[in-house]
């Protein structure tokens, strides 16, 4: 759970609304896991191989959820 929290904090601080907003809501205890998973899947599709530090975190977050 701590690893997932760390990943969500990175997403929340990313500045990319697609994943930042759902991650912030998850961190605030407003767990809409389905919306979060959809956002992470979309982020992975759009940016999952660009070479940034978030690329591997998308897949790991999905595993942990």
């Amino acid at each position: 759970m701590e690893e997932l929290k760390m990943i969500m904090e990175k997403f929340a601080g990313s500045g990319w609304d697609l994943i930042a907003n759902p991650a912030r809501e998850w961190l605030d205890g407003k767990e809409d896991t389905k919306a979060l998973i959809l956002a992470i899947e979309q982020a992975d599709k759009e940016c999952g191989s660009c070479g940034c530090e978030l690329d591997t975190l998308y897949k790991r977050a999905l595993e942990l959820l």
Side-chain angles (χ1 to χ4, degrees), residues 10-30:
K10 283 216 181 254
F11 289 168
S14 71
W16 190 17
D17 289 344
L18 175 65
I19 58 169
N21 293 337
R24 254 186 247 109
E25 289 181 9
W26 186 88
L27 288 166
D28 290 342
K30 302 172 190 163

Side-chain angles (χ1 to χ4, degrees), residues 44-55:
D44 188 37
K45 183 186 286 186
E46 290 182 25
C47 183
S49 61
C50 73
C52 76
E53 69 174 317
L54 300 179
D55 287 353

Side-chain angles (χ1 to χ4, degrees), residues 7 9-10 13 23 27 33 39 43 59:
I7 293 171
E9 288 170 349
K10 283 216 181 254
L27 288 166
T33 305
K59 291 165 183 56

